[in-house]
Structure formats: structure tokens, C-alpha cells
Amino acid sequence: MAATPAPLTARALLLDMDGTLVNSDAVVERCWRRWADRQGLDADEVLKVVHGRQGYATMALLLPDRPMAENHADNAVMLAEETADVDGVVPVPGAPAFMDAIAGLPHALVTSADEPLARARMGAAGLRMPETRVTAERVGASKPDPEGFLKGAAELGVDPADCVAFEDSEAGIRAARAAGMRVVGVGPRAAALAPDVHVPDLTALRVTAAPDGTITLGATRA
């Protein structure tokens, strides 16, 4: 970004996990490369579309003729593999301080991981788990469907238009936009997806809260 954009204001923050708070790319690559090999698919092409979606939705995209029941069964295996493998899972730079900064503010985790996987990765990264969270088993549709973000806003009691979503992937940003939210894009995947604010990591974000409950978010650098 050539210039620092105007700050965003919000009443609540909705946070994706993988790629946004937690860097789990090493695990994701290991697990999905194994799956691609089993299916006879090009792993490099598979890895281009896995981020942001629930596993079964990625599988349906890659194997459109396969029965959905097989995708759900495969996804259960994938989730178990991912939950057991936290080698290389680390916080996105700035995530611990960011989570401390928003501890007293309305916020929710909205992730395509299920609850056990979310707990495993947040724990491995040393990050506090938000009290309000919308995990995979709590929605009927994966991102880019907006259901998860809309549910998160409803549980916080905040209008979607007054929420800002933090995302790193195309599917996630599309979901947030479909929910009527503005977006802080985090990391390299988000840079080309026209978020309202883009930051390379969470060290580049400034969070301030006013007495009236308004949260202001600004990028400190491109």
C-alpha cells in the first residue's frame, strides 16, 4: 500500500484464526500434500485453494463429481491429522500483543477449524482463546458463505455493519464482505484482495478504544 489508509472504526472485531492470528502453513501444507497424493492431484494446485475454507468444501471444489459424504468423511480424517500435528504452529507476529490489546473489547473467533483444532492451534501458538467463537461444527456452510461472520456478530449483539473482520484468505474476505463487514487483511495472501486496510502482520496494527465503546483500527505501516 502506497499510503496509510484512513483508520476503521467498529463496535466489535471478528477474527479468523489460520493465517490471521496463527501461522499454521507448515501443517496445512503437510496434511494437504498427503491428501493430494492420495487423490492423484497436483499438490501445488491444491494448496492454492485450501486457505479459508473448511476441508470438505475444498474437497468438493477439487473433486466436483465425488459424493459429498466422502468429502465429509475425508474431512474428519483431515481434522484429526491437523489437530495432532502442531509442529511449526506459531503466532503471527504481533498476535500476542494484539490479543492482549483487545481482551476487554467485543470480539469473536470465526474459523473454519473445528473446536479441537482451534484449541490445539491457539494453544500451540500461546494465544488466548476468545470466549465467543464460531467454529466449523457451529455452521452449516463454509466460508465464503457469510454464515459464520453473521453468527459471530449476532452472538456479540453487534450489527454486522459495525463489525470489522480480520482475514487472510480470499474465501474469508469474500465471506466477510458478504456479511456486510469491513475487512482488515493480514499477511501476503490478503494483499491482492482489496481489504479496507492491509497489514503485513499484526505488529503493523494500532488498536485504540474510546470510552463510548468505539474501537479504532489503523495501520502503522504498509
Side-chain angles (χ1 to χ4, degrees):
M1 131 182 107
T4 302
L8 300 179
T9 58
R11 292 284 176 179
L13 309 178
L14 299 181
L15 315 172
D16 175 50
M17 182 180 71
D18 293 299
T20 302
L21 299 175
V22 172
N23 182 342
S24 56
D25 283 0
V27 179
V28 170
E29 181 163 340
R30 284 194 295 271
C31 291
W32 280 98
R33 282 191 181 279
R34 287 196 298 266
W35 182 86
D37 288 344
R38 293 196 294 268
Q39 303 302 324
L41 298 175
D42 184 324
D44 290 334
E45 293 302 310
V46 168
L47 289 170
K48 291 178 181 178
V49 298
V50 300
H51 297 289
R53 295 179 176 83
Q54 290 191 43
Y56 77 85
T58 295
M59 294 168 188
L61 187 67
L62 293 165
L63 300 172
D65 297 326
R66 191 165 81 152
M68 188 58 77
E70 291 186 32
N71 295 332
H72 282 288
D74 248 9
N75 187 45
V77 173
M78 176 73 72
L79 285 169
E81 290 180 357
E82 289 185 302
T83 302
D85 183 358
V86 294
D87 186 25
V89 173
V90 295
V92 166
F98 171 75
M99 292 301 288
D100 287 345
I102 68 168
L105 306 176
H107 66 282
L109 191 71
V110 181
T111 175
S112 291
D114 65 2
E115 180 83 11
L117 179 57
R119 286 190 175 278
R121 288 187 175 164
M122 291 289 280
L127 297 176
R128 172 183 58 81
M129 177 71 90
E131 290 185 15
T132 302
R133 50 193 178 269
V134 181
T135 50
E137 60 269 66
R138 299 197 55 223
V139 296
S142 169
K143 298 172 185 178
D145 190 281
E147 180 186 355
F149 282 118
L150 292 172
K151 183 167 284 190
E155 293 197 7
L156 293 172
V158 178
D159 190 285
D162 290 327
C163 295
V164 168
F166 285 67
E167 270 288 358
D168 73 302
S169 69
E170 180 182 10
I173 289 176
R174 285 172 56 197
R177 292 246 187 259
M181 298 175 184
R182 290 150 299 145
V183 180
V184 172
V186 181
R189 281 189 289 269
L193 300 172
D196 296 280
V197 169
H198 175 257
V199 291
D201 58 47
L202 293 171
T203 65
L205 190 75
R206 182 178 61 255
V207 181
T208 56
D212 68 354
T214 300
I215 304 165
T216 302
L217 306 164
T220 59
R221 56 185 171 87

